[in-house]
Amino acid sequence: MRIIGILILVGCWNLSAGLLRAQVAFESSDIPLITIQTFQPQIFDEPRIQAHMKVIDQPDQSNHPDDPGNEYDGLIEIELRGASSQFFPKKGYRLETILLNGQNNNVPLLGMPAENDWILHGPFSDKSLIRNALTYTIGRDLGHWAPRTRFCELIINGDYLGVYVLMEKIKVDKNRVDIQKMGPNDLTGEALTGGYILKIDKDNFFNEYAWTGLYGTDFLWEYPEEDEVKVQQQDYIQAFFNDFETALQSRSFDHPEEGYMPFIDRRSFIDFMLVNELGKNVDGYRISTFMYKTADQDGGKLHMGPLWDFNLAFGNADYCIQGNPEGWVLNFNQACPQDGWLINPWYDRLLSDPTYLQATIERWEELRKGALSTARLLDLVDELVAEIGDAPKRNFERWPVLGTYVWPNYFVGQTYADEIKYLKDWIRARLTWIDINLPQIASQVNGDASGLIVEIGPNPVQDQLDFYLRMEIGGSIRFELTDMQGRMAGGFELERPGGLISRYSWKGISELAAGVYSYRLIINQLELKRGKLLKY
């Protein structure tokens, strides 16, 4: 299925590439200009090739291709980047700034801290050009590191390629993912505990899955790099994830010490979910999903993030969960079960913990008064559009796709102004929908409308029977036990309000004689579950 999808993309874009590009007589830009001259005719996805790059940014002046590179003027190594996006006519690139001897050359670029690893993101299907920059700014506003960005215009080998986003690559660095660095000899004790960066993503020819988790999720290495990971490091981090997922699956998963809480940084998990749901990111949780574990001396917990790859978010995707502003990304599996990359049930389980759910609701309410207020988000869109200036005009002359369907556009605007208006209207509608529906998110992603039993146990049972249940509409719950002759042996009735995820313990089982019993669970006069229990 994955191979077929890629072949379809290749065919579509090879067929259309000539129709979706035009030469532009570029003269100058009021935003930063990057020119690259390669020493070979073609840029590959592995291996990187060497090239010369100039970064030109003259305040209060226009930038011209012949101007000196006042921000950078030196060597780089460059390669293609992305998965399906590599088949777009407008490519994305990864580059490293290097010295004459090939060693890393850490330099600050366009106001961003010094480093040598950079990304040139070429928005193509995102006709607003700003969705990634918008998302990363939101992430930083929420208090997390997310890649810094600067808009620029790009020329490679004399060919004007339009508007690009220069941004930081995700990596361990004091100014990026600030966790403990690991070396090849960090194989025991405290040194073995971190830091690590993992991701959930598509595999490729150069990066195979590291392991498969207990929920069937495939994990990939980001740091240390796959070819540098030692057996002890692989065993340690896999055991950590297995312990986390085992705790999440357990009946005491919501216990503050015996459950999931010792393993995760709850704020990062909540904020990661809220941003993915805000953008209704079709790739959310299942691909382009990063997470990192700190060393035990720094807390030793798993953090979700950094945020990455939101070009199909904010109403831009026309498949599966689609671009309308209603619905949860967490329901992707139900909307698109045939997809090769599904969402694991971490969040479904976390949201079934009333404490976690309440913390999520309170965090949303807090953010809606500040970083995620409607006014702040709409102002942010305006700020980013103002930063690009008139560059979109040249970009869409080079790539004449306005008014044209580009996979997988949900909305097709006739003008750039149409695209920005759609984005702002979509954000307004999405915020309103989440405001109304977030208190019910657990029931909306965890089951049907009438009620769902998560678990009844233990079985065999001695002195206490525990029920984990969710009810959206509220109402009556009745549990009946009969002996093997069909005689009523015990049970209980109670009322529960709607939307409650709860644990209920029944100790009446301790009063019954040892033996086998039949049970029925009835919610609002509807039998939802029946079975047998062994009392000892």
Side-chain angles (χ1 to χ4, degrees), residues 295-307:
D296 283 357
Q297 67 186 21
D298 300 318
K301 294 194 174 185
L302 182 66
H303 297 241
M304 290 301 295
L307 297 165

Side-chain angles (χ1 to χ4, degrees), residues 170 172 177 179 195-201 211 217-224 237 240-241 244-245 263-264 268-269 272 285-294 301-308 344 346-347:
I170 292 175
V172 176
V177 183
I179 58 177
Y196 297 92
I197 305 179
L198 290 306
K199 62 183 178 181
I200 300 170
D201 207 350
W211 80 91
T217 303
D218 296 316
F219 294 93
L220 290 153
W221 282 105
E222 182 68 17
Y223 177 84
I237 197 65
F240 175 87
F241 272 73
F244 162 53
E245 293 192 322
F263 294 93
I264 72 168
S268 74
F269 269 71
F272 185 84
Y285 315 107
R286 63 192 195 92
I287 54 178
S288 299
T289 294
F290 286 82
M291 61 205 73
Y292 61 92
K293 183 199 175 291
T294 59
K301 294 194 174 185
L302 182 66
H303 297 241
M304 290 301 295
L307 297 165
W308 190 250
N344 74 27
W346 286 359
Y347 278 97

Side-chain angles (χ1 to χ4, degrees), residues 160-295:
Y160 172 75
L161 296 178
V163 172
Y164 275 71
V165 186
L166 179 68
M167 60 193 194
E168 298 171 301
K169 180 184 181 292
I170 292 175
K171 68 180 297 186
V172 176
D173 183 84
K174 66 179 181 179
N175 293 310
R176 297 191 183 180
V177 183
D178 188 12
I179 58 177
Q180 186 70 31
K181 290 188 175 182
M182 298 194 70
N185 297 320
D186 292 332
L187 304 178
T188 60
E190 175 70 32
L192 183 61
T193 66
Y196 297 92
I197 305 179
L198 290 306
K199 62 183 178 181
I200 300 170
D201 207 350
K202 301 173 183 177
D203 60 337
N204 56 50
F205 295 115
F206 306 104
N207 195 356
E208 297 181 355
Y209 291 132
W211 80 91
T212 300
L214 301 184
Y215 285 106
T217 303
D218 296 316
F219 294 93
L220 290 153
W221 282 105
E222 182 68 17
Y223 177 84
E225 293 185 10
E226 181 184 24
D227 58 357
E228 298 176 352
V229 174
K230 305 301 181 182
V231 172
Q232 295 91 331
Q233 296 166 343
Q234 167 85 34
D235 290 346
Y236 170 81
I237 197 65
Q238 185 171 349
F240 175 87
F241 272 73
N242 286 346
D243 289 345
F244 162 53
E245 293 192 322
T246 298
L248 203 58
Q249 292 174 350
S250 73
R251 291 175 50 226
S252 57
F253 81 103
D254 55 352
H255 191 280
E257 296 175 358
E258 299 174 5
Y260 67 83
M261 278 299 294
F263 294 93
I264 72 168
D265 179 84
R266 189 173 71 180
R267 174 59 60 85
S268 74
F269 269 71
I270 289 173
D271 286 358
F272 185 84
M273 187 200 88
L274 291 178
V275 177
N276 272 280
E277 294 297 344
L278 167 65
K280 203 180 180 189
N281 181 19
V282 71
D283 290 342
Y285 315 107
R286 63 192 195 92
I287 54 178
S288 299
T289 294
F290 286 82
M291 61 205 73
Y292 61 92
K293 183 199 175 291
T294 59

Side-chain angles (χ1 to χ4, degrees), residues 5-237:
I6 291 174
L7 290 175
I8 291 173
L9 278 173
V10 172
C12 289
W13 291 121
N14 284 345
L15 178 64
S16 60
L19 303 175
L20 293 175
R21 56 187 294 161
Q23 294 299 318
V24 173
F26 178 84
E27 296 181 359
S28 65
S29 175
D30 291 332
I31 64 173
L33 175 62
I34 296 179
T35 68
I36 295 174
Q37 188 70 39
T38 66
F39 302 146
Q40 297 180 30
Q42 185 176 354
I43 300 174
F44 306 98
D45 179 2
E46 296 282 345
R48 295 192 294 271
I49 65 169
Q50 286 198 353
H52 180 269
M53 180 175 77
K54 289 195 303 181
V55 181
I56 307 164
D57 184 26
Q58 304 180 101
D60 304 318
Q61 297 184 48
S62 295
N63 302 304
H64 305 82
D66 295 333
D67 291 337
N70 63 326
E71 278 277 328
Y72 185 77
D73 193 341
L75 288 177
I76 64 169
E77 289 185 335
I78 187 171
E79 64 183 348
L80 296 175
R81 65 166 298 272
S84 57
S85 62
Q86 284 199 24
F87 303 109
F88 293 156
K90 184 180 183 181
K91 310 297 185 186
Y93 303 95
R94 175 190 169 188
L95 62 91
E96 295 185 15
T97 48
I98 61 172
L99 299 169
L100 285 172
N101 62 5
Q103 297 298 306
N104 291 342
N105 183 17
N106 291 333
V107 294
L109 292 181
L110 300 178
M112 294 180 278
E115 241 295 339
N116 67 291
D117 279 310
W118 306 90
I119 299 293
L120 277 168
H121 163 58
F124 185 71
S125 60
D126 173 17
K127 298 174 189 174
S128 78
L129 308 175
I130 68 171
R131 281 177 167 87
N132 273 330
L134 171 65
T135 303
Y136 303 153
T137 305
I138 291 170
R140 294 193 298 276
D141 284 351
L142 268 57
H144 307 281
W145 181 83
R148 284 166 277 245
T149 62
R150 285 293 304 273
F151 292 108
C152 61
E153 293 184 84
L154 178 65
I155 298 173
I156 295 183
N157 295 336
D159 186 9
Y160 172 75
L161 296 178
V163 172
Y164 275 71
V165 186
L166 179 68
M167 60 193 194
E168 298 171 301
K169 180 184 181 292
I170 292 175
K171 68 180 297 186
V172 176
D173 183 84
K174 66 179 181 179
N175 293 310
R176 297 191 183 180
V177 183
D178 188 12
I179 58 177
Q180 186 70 31
K181 290 188 175 182
M182 298 194 70
N185 297 320
D186 292 332
L187 304 178
T188 60
E190 175 70 32
L192 183 61
T193 66
Y196 297 92
I197 305 179
L198 290 306
K199 62 183 178 181
I200 300 170
D201 207 350
K202 301 173 183 177
D203 60 337
N204 56 50
F205 295 115
F206 306 104
N207 195 356
E208 297 181 355
Y209 291 132
W211 80 91
T212 300
L214 301 184
Y215 285 106
T217 303
D218 296 316
F219 294 93
L220 290 153
W221 282 105
E222 182 68 17
Y223 177 84
E225 293 185 10
E226 181 184 24
D227 58 357
E228 298 176 352
V229 174
K230 305 301 181 182
V231 172
Q232 295 91 331
Q233 296 166 343
Q234 167 85 34
D235 290 346
Y236 170 81
I237 197 65

Side-chain angles (χ1 to χ4, degrees), residues 292-360:
Y292 61 92
K293 183 199 175 291
T294 59
D296 283 357
Q297 67 186 21
D298 300 318
K301 294 194 174 185
L302 182 66
H303 297 241
M304 290 301 295
L307 297 165
W308 190 250
D309 193 12
F310 275 64
N311 61 307
L312 298 182
F314 294 96
N316 199 30
D318 70 347
Y319 61 94
C320 291
I321 57 172
Q322 306 229 333
N324 68 75
E326 299 182 356
W328 299 112
V329 182
L330 284 169
N331 280 332
F332 180 93
N333 295 356
Q334 292 91 329
C336 204
Q338 73 278 11
D339 192 274
W341 296 277
L342 298 176
I343 299 173
N344 74 27
W346 286 359
Y347 278 97
D348 294 11
R349 188 64 160 157
L350 291 170
L351 289 167
S352 68
D353 173 13
T355 302
Y356 186 96
L357 175 60
Q358 186 60 33
T360 301

